Amino acid sequence: MIDRSPAAIPQIPSRPARATATITDARVIVTCPGRNFVTLKITTADGTCGLGDATLNGREMAVVAYLEAHILPLLIGRDAHRIEDMWQFLYRGAYWRGGPVGMTAIAAVDVALWDIKAKIAGLPLYQLLGGACRDGVTVYGHANGSTIEETVAEALRYRDLGYRAIRLQSGVPGLKSTYGVSRDKMFYEPADADLPTENVWSTERYMTTVPALFDAAREALGRDIHLLHDVHHRLTPIEAGRLGKDLEPYRPFWLEDAVPAENQAAFRTIRQHTTTPLAVGEIFSSIWDCKTLIEEGLIDFVRATVVHAGGITHLRRIASLADLHHVRTGCHGATDLSPVTMAAALHFGMSIPNFGLQEYMRHTPETDAVFPHDYAFRDGMLHPGDAPGLGVDLDETLAATHPYSRAYLPVNRLEDGTLFNW
Ligand code: KDG
Ligand code: MG
């Protein structure tokens, strides 16, 4: 006989005290510990704080203005737990959709809300996103040098540090400056001046240098390590096809940003000519920037990031679409993405099935001091740590000692003076 006494009937638990988390404060903090970072800090009624990165390199103050003038007034009084609803509200509600400024601002809100939700749950964020799919997030480091020999020596150093994947960038003989070749080996910083510096470019000189670089690197490093290269949008589709073909014997892990990707159809030409895997997307703002690339199988890795592509909520949508088409993630992770984004990328990378590889340009000790964090590098991987939320803090007192300092990305000209892609 069924026992119907009150004690035997399971009781529906009363509403947990923190089922809503009303936003009471939202502020933008700009700091320059060696480079500029924009951070959004959201606080809820119970004092829980969440952080979101809003840094858009060289255009930082546009995002600050967007947040302060148009987004912060919308946040106060809303429930921080309603992350998807907030995303839709800020995206659809603006009427003006997409674009790097708006999507970076939305990303900052989204990541801060995920941070809050995970802190309230008392869990590292990847647990809320479905739990760990892997032991850690495999990362690639940057080996660069003004000559092939210097770049290969750097690559050996990265291998000895434990990296399993290394990006190779080398100076091009005859050109004074080349993208990716920094003054400081561990901390590459492209936004290098108060007004844009000018680089010089020659596709012809470059096209012969890269295969020679890969030849020397394979000779020194063997086959047991992943090698990558970033073209930084500087070729035409047919040139990219030729470079991809020339690199095939060296089995690159990927060839990045071979051509500017506004015209997604351009990748069809590259695909017809090479089996070298293609990665693209560090400047993408939304799923619409990569829909054709993914659905037609024109790329192998999508490099869209949490910070510039609408946050964790939107990047999960991109990754899900990519997974259907055998495309893996390869998220952007340069120094202009703050430790808040790096942590978000790690929690995201831990939790999705089709993770590929994560870029990891180390931050300077100055930056790390302003953003103390729980993630750590071990054996070629980053590990997000066990702290609740993202596991990143912002030392506001220290941040205030590093005021904003205008810094532009360089521009690029052909040898005859024509302005070209940087
Ligand atoms: O802000 C621009 C940099 O993040 C970018 O130039 C770095 O291409 C880059 C990369 O692959 O990290
Ligand atoms: Mg790149």
Side-chain angles (χ1 to χ4, degrees), residues 140 142 167 179 230-233 256-257 282 303 332 359:
Y140 69 91
H142 284 218
R167 187 184 93 161
Y179 154 74
D230 187 351
V231 181
H232 224 251
H233 326 271
E256 177 185 337
D257 285 346
E282 68 182 40
R303 281 183 44 73
H332 190 203
E359 181 178 16

